Amino acid sequence: MSFSALDSELLGPLFATGAMRAVFSDQARLAAMLRAEAALARALARCGLAPEALAAAIAAIPAEDLDPAALGQGTGLAGVPTIPFVKAVQARLPKELERSFHKGATTQDIVDTALVLQMRDALALIADDLTAVVAALATLARRHRATPCVGRTYGQHAAPVTFGYKAAVWCMGVAEVADQLPWLRSRALAAALAGPVGTLAGLGDQGPAVADAFAEELGLGTTPIAWHARRARMAEAGAWLATLIGALAKMGTDVAHLASTEVGEVAEPYVQGRGGSSAMPHKRNPVSSTVILAAQAAAPGHVVTLLNAMAAAHERPAGLWHAEWHALPQLFGLASGALHEARTLAEGLEVHADRMRANIDATRGLLFADAVAARLAPQLGREAGHALVEHAAEAVRATGASLREVLANDPALASAGGVLDAAFDLTPSVEAAAVWTDRALAAADRIRERLSSSDR
């Protein structure tokens, strides 16, 4: 039985990528714990507190040799995975090395550091997909920079924009979150080595030197004091992941609506058998949008768990730290699945420009009401022009005539033909949208370059 979508063989492939599921697998966790212990042994040896051979002996133990099921039974008894893990590793070490194993460390040091190592691998996967999504959305926006479509507010037709503008909004939303990734790495990717109450007193005056050497061996950051009970970095990581999912959900929300039968302006990429119905053979449901929106709905609860864990009692709490083990892997899994589907959309979205044009005309010119009112303001005054167009819009709804026809028959506008012709021209709306599209894409390109540079 599986207790989460991330590790479910049935649901996992829908909500999380295989690569991300592998990063947070039991075997990967045990491998990370072994890496942490080997790094500790090297740090101890550098300070003369452990034999040089200890690190090599630990590194020679394959994670596959450790039985997760047996360790799980031990975890159920001990309350933490480190105790049965330490016993299992000690049993595989020579007696002359075993006494120096895990010296000075406590359970939380190994569990937290292993999680950070997994997070580093997970963030690398996310960075790759983030870069690809931003690039693909920028390409989509440039391709449709001058493709006019309906702008909607409150679910209603508002004024013309372009589809490139919509895609640029999606692109910038994701890029802004991506821009915070280097900062998040600097905050979250810190080693944890502080001993039972955070002072490494068991190592005497060598404690700070061992802690610094431990972090250096793993390529992780250090902190000036133990973060056993300072959980902001975990909450920040979770909040960033949820914010990323939220930015992707903006696109998913729009695509799901635009792909609806009545709108029909876009369609998700066609894949045989994807998005079908067990009852209705004609269905082509928006699966990518669905997965993204499901992730967005699930993510906030996990963030709340991480925020609650910040209320840690004294030097180490009961329960709150353990709750993080449920939340962070789930958020990484959800983010990976959402990014995968967002990339599918960004790289393969079908755009129906003819349908976009038809929807512009669907309200018989009402989409240009704002432009008409603005052009009449110098002649009639702002309030009077607005009231006249509002009254004309009601006539359009009542009679089925076009807004242009209704206005042309208004005596107050007998000499305003040229003004009206200009108001119903799409060109100014397209040009204005293109300006903002170009600005956004230039900013997104800079962010993408910074992200690529930070990865190197």
Side-chain angles (χ1 to χ4, degrees):
M1 178 179 180
S2 173
F3 289 94
S4 74
L6 183 63
D7 57 11
S8 168
E9 292 186 11
L10 181 63
L11 299 178
L14 177 63
F15 292 111
T17 64
M20 190 63 76
R21 295 169 72 202
V23 165
F24 288 99
S25 67
D26 287 338
Q27 185 170 309
R29 181 186 294 269
L30 291 172
M33 292 171 74
L34 284 168
R35 286 177 62 195
E37 291 285 9
L40 173 59
R42 290 193 297 272
L44 290 167
R46 284 168 58 175
C47 296
L49 298 176
E52 294 283 348
L54 176 59
I58 297 169
I61 300 172
E64 295 82 358
D65 282 3
L66 302 178
D67 182 359
L71 294 177
Q73 292 295 320
T75 299
L77 178 64
V80 289
T82 315
I83 293 173
F85 165 81
V86 167
K87 291 179 179 178
V89 175
Q90 282 177 320
R92 289 164 170 79
L93 294 174
K95 285 294 183 184
E96 67 273 15
L97 300 178
E98 177 268 335
R99 64 177 61 93
S100 298
F101 175 66
H102 196 64
K103 186 174 183 177
T106 193
T107 287
Q108 190 168 355
D109 294 327
I110 302 306
V111 170
D112 276 349
T113 299
L115 178 59
V116 167
L117 292 174
Q118 291 174 286
M119 290 170 62
R120 181 167 65 186
D121 292 341
L123 289 173
L125 293 176
I126 283 178
D128 288 343
D129 275 341
L130 259 178
T131 302
V133 168
V134 172
L137 285 176
T139 298
L140 182 67
R142 289 189 173 97
R143 184 182 305 134
H144 294 283
R145 179 178 179 273
T147 302
C149 70
V150 174
R152 296 172 172 90
T153 61
Y154 287 78
Q156 306 289 311
H157 286 208
V161 291
T162 66
F163 186 70
Y165 175 86
K166 283 184 179 287
V169 170
W170 303 341
C171 181
M172 196 63 215
V174 177
E176 286 173 335
V177 182
D179 202 24
Q180 298 170 1
L181 181 53
W183 170 84
L184 179 70
R185 282 174 162 151
S186 70
R187 280 283 292 155
L189 301 183
L193 182 63
V197 293
T199 62
L200 273 182
L203 299 180
D205 60 3
Q206 294 276 50
V210 173
D212 289 345
F214 175 67
E216 183 181 335
E217 290 287 345
L218 292 169
L220 297 174
T222 60
T223 60
I225 198 167
W227 58 276
H228 284 168
R230 295 187 298 113
R231 308 310 291 180
R233 68 192 68 246
M234 297 293 101
E236 289 162 354
W240 182 84
L241 290 166
T243 303
L244 169 60
I245 294 169
L248 300 174
K250 160 59 181 166
M251 174 171 61
T253 296
D254 285 351
V255 169
H257 175 256
L258 294 175
S260 63
T261 303
E262 292 80 5
V263 180
E265 295 183 6
V266 305
E268 292 196 356
Y270 177 71
V271 177
Q272 180 69 35
R274 185 171 173 87
S277 165
S278 61
M280 297 168 284
H282 69 284
K283 291 298 292 293
R284 185 175 167 186
N285 293 320
V287 173
S288 291
S289 299
T290 296
V291 171
I292 294 170
L293 294 174
Q296 194 272 334
H302 295 302
V303 178
V304 170
T305 297
L306 296 172
L307 291 172
N308 286 340
M310 292 181 68
H314 302 298
E315 283 61 57
R316 279 196 287 160
L320 297 185
W321 169 57
H322 301 67
E324 292 179 355
W325 308 346
H326 297 280
L328 268 172
Q330 294 299 315
L331 283 166
F332 273 105
L334 292 169
S336 73
L339 272 169
H340 173 76
E341 299 300 342
R343 185 170 181 175
T344 297
L345 290 179
E347 293 178 347
L349 191 69
E350 297 176 12
V351 178
H352 304 310
D354 54 343
R355 183 72 178 196
M356 291 178 179
R357 180 63 217 217
N359 285 337
I360 287 175
D361 298 332
T363 53
R364 300 179 299 282
L366 292 183
L367 205 64
F368 298 90
D370 176 60
V372 173
R375 290 184 177 272
L376 291 179
Q379 178 180 337
L380 304 178
R382 183 182 182 282
E383 186 173 349
H386 188 279
L388 186 149
V389 177
E390 185 177 10
H391 178 75
E394 290 303 318
V396 170
R397 297 186 185 99
T399 66
S402 71
L403 181 62
R404 183 71 177 85
E405 292 169 340
V406 171
L407 293 172
N409 292 325
D410 191 316
L413 302 177
S415 60
V419 171
L420 293 179
D421 289 339
F424 286 94
D425 183 2
L426 270 172
T427 302
S429 295
V430 170
E431 291 177 346
V435 168
W436 291 103
T437 298
D438 292 345
R439 282 167 56 100
L441 296 183
D445 286 344
R446 291 191 294 270
I447 290 171
R448 185 156 48 93
E449 178 59 33
R450 284 197 295 271
L451 187 61
S452 298
S453 298
S454 70
D455 289 340
R456 291 195 292 269

